[in-house]
Amino acid sequence: MDRDAILLTPGPLTTTLRTKLAMLRDWGSWDADFNAMTAAMRRQLLGIVGALDSHVVVPLQGSGTFAVEAAVGTLVPRNGHVLVLDNGAYCKRMGRVATLMGRRTTVLARAEHEPVSAEELDAALRADPSITHVGFIHCETGTGVLNPLAQVSEVCARHGKGLIIDAMSSFAALPIDARDITFDALVAASGKCLEGVPGMGFVFIRKAVLAGCEGQSQSLAMDLFDQHAYMERTGQWRFTPPTHVVAALAEALAQFLEAGGQPARLARYTANCRTLIDGMAQLGFKPFLHPQWQAPIIVTFHAPQHPAYDFTAFYAEVKRRGFILYPGKLTKVETFRVGCIGAIGPNDMQQAVNAISEAMQALGLAPSH
Ligand SMILES: *Cc1c(COP(=O)(O)O)cnc(C)c1O
């Protein structure tokens, strides 16, 4: 293969050549050109969720989890109480983040094959008034399930609780509008549906909430109040910025807007997802989720029933044909995942299905139906 394999993973993703080329420059972190790029990027990010009036956006160095950790630490007072709605691995991660930071944490667990429940949340908030914040994962990337953002937001607003949304794998692909959906913080990252490269997270924080967050974080590097204050004062990042990541994201954002923004991205990912599920069905593969709960972001498939099936060998055969799969994240059932996101279209997805078909033949795995 003389080209990079296509990444069918939930980040890092396959990026365009234009995005990759944007990284072939060195930028000074104090330089006005770089600061202008950061400022433009922040305005564009706010525009994507209709939050220019209501929220600020604070970028942070690191992977997406760093930004989740920073959001929880900055927004939740040390004597606060976080309720995390849990239907998968990323929900559990947020619960662990809050626990490790010493915030009182309650995890409301639900089965992994269905969405979390706004009704259960409503009951939990009635039962325990000490809860101050709700942690919510919009698309649970561990399975690909879409959780009910509007309903959860409505319940939180009605109870006067702060909502912290991990929209890492949904932001810029699924519709989210801060004028319709009330939230205190929403977290996403450079290397997901914006199709930038990994290395930077960002957190939208409601302006009225940010004002009360000074000194709440127990971390120096992950204090979003300080990061924001410094950026507003100087136009610069507080500590060394991921300059090449920001440059790549600026270029990825330009392409995102040129292509038609969030609706266009959702349409492409939906076409990818449909091509994938239809093609895999012909090979005998069944999705783990009921179609009703499936977000067009990442699909979990049951592994072939064949006794000779082994994910490592399967992965290697598919990789030889130019596609990188993702292991499953479920403990009870054998699965693997295929991402629908990144700078790829339905044709690439059809080729991925073909590669999987050839890999199955090469491994002597009969179709699993
Ligand atoms: C990708 C992702 C994250 C962040 O994971 P990192 O490995 O830290 O980038 C967090 N939450 C969700 C739902 C994700 O999809």
Side-chain angles (χ1 to χ4, degrees):
M1 281 274 160
D2 56 359
R3 65 165 196 202
D4 289 337
I6 286 181
L7 301 177
L8 300 175
T9 63
L13 309 174
T14 291
T15 57
T16 65
L17 181 62
R18 193 170 145 192
T19 298
K20 287 189 252 282
L21 287 174
M23 292 183 284
L24 295 180
R25 281 188 65 185
D26 300 314
W27 301 81
S29 65
W30 284 56
D31 188 73
D33 291 345
F34 180 73
N35 295 340
M37 195 157 69
T38 297
M41 170 196 78
R42 292 175 68 204
R43 271 195 308 278
Q44 288 174 336
L45 292 175
L46 284 165
I48 292 172
V49 284
L52 278 155
D53 294 331
S54 53
H55 294 70
V56 299
V57 64
V58 191
L60 183 73
Q61 301 92 330
S63 87
T65 304
F66 290 57
V68 172
E69 190 158 337
V72 173
T74 303
L75 267 83
V76 181
R78 300 200 194 177
N79 62 357
H81 181 182
V82 189
L83 175 77
V84 178
L85 296 173
D86 171 17
N87 64 339
Y90 289 92
C91 304
K92 289 180 175 58
R93 187 183 293 178
M94 192 193 272
R96 186 152 167 74
V97 156
T99 304
L100 286 173
M101 284 187 298
R103 303 315 194 258
R104 188 174 162 203
T105 306
T106 299
V107 174
L108 192 58
R110 198 174 171 85
E112 289 188 309
H113 66 278
E114 56 186 22
V116 300
S117 156
E119 291 73 34
E120 268 179 26
L121 171 63
D122 187 49
L125 293 179
R126 276 177 210 284
D128 189 347
S130 75
I131 293 163
T132 56
H133 291 76
V134 173
F136 171 78
I137 314 302
H138 187 198
C139 170
E140 170 47 73
T141 320
T143 53
V145 71
L146 181 62
N147 281 319
L149 173 57
Q151 292 90 321
V152 164
S153 165
E154 190 276 316
V155 170
C156 290
R158 185 149 42 80
H159 286 270
K161 307 300 180 186
L163 174 61
I164 300 175
I165 305 169
D166 172 350
M168 209 72 66
S169 64
S170 58
F171 174 81
L174 300 176
I176 303 171
D177 193 316
R179 291 160 294 196
D180 308 329
I181 305 278
T182 305
F183 58 85
D184 279 6
L186 184 142
V187 190
S190 55
K192 301 264 178 152
C193 299
L194 285 174
E195 300 180 0
V197 302
M200 186 198 111
F202 46 92
V203 185
F204 298 91
I205 305 176
R206 178 197 301 287
K207 285 178 182 169
V209 165
L210 182 70
C213 290
E214 184 168 8
Q216 258 169 198
S217 176
Q218 73 299 318
S219 163
L220 173 73
M222 312 248 276
D223 184 342
L224 296 174
F225 181 92
D226 273 2
Q227 176 89 327
H228 177 260
Y230 189 87
M231 211 168 250
E232 290 297 300
R233 196 166 67 244
T234 65
Q236 298 161 15
W237 294 58
R238 202 173 36 144
F239 305 127
T240 304
T243 45
H244 297 72
V245 175
V246 175
L249 184 58
E251 203 56 45
L253 274 163
Q255 293 161 85
F256 171 79
L257 297 172
E258 285 163 23
Q262 175 269 321
R265 191 128 306 179
L266 177 60
R268 176 156 57 83
Y269 290 172
T270 302
N272 289 350
C273 187
R274 190 168 311 129
T275 303
L276 173 70
I277 289 178
D278 290 352
M280 292 295 275
Q282 289 186 3
L283 302 180
F285 285 95
K286 291 185 184 64
F288 169 72
L289 293 175
H290 191 283
Q292 189 181 357
W293 312 131
Q294 176 71 61
I297 302 294
I298 187 166
V299 182
T300 300
F301 289 102
H302 288 284
Q305 292 299 305
H306 201 287
Y309 173 80
D310 164 56
F311 177 75
T312 309
F314 178 56
Y315 175 93
E317 282 299 325
V318 177
K319 180 181 173 184
R320 267 172 21 91
R321 292 164 174 82
F323 296 89
I324 301 286
L325 299 176
Y326 210 58
K329 231 182 176 125
L330 300 173
T331 42
K332 296 195 187 80
V333 256
E334 171 95 17
T335 56
F336 64 92
R337 286 177 290 168
V338 186
C340 305
I341 60 180
I344 56 171
N347 284 340
D348 301 294
M349 209 46 115
Q350 186 55 54
Q351 286 171 29
V353 170
N354 297 346
I356 289 170
S357 173
E358 286 177 22
M360 297 284 287
Q361 281 160 32
L363 292 165
L365 300 172
S368 54
H369 48 304

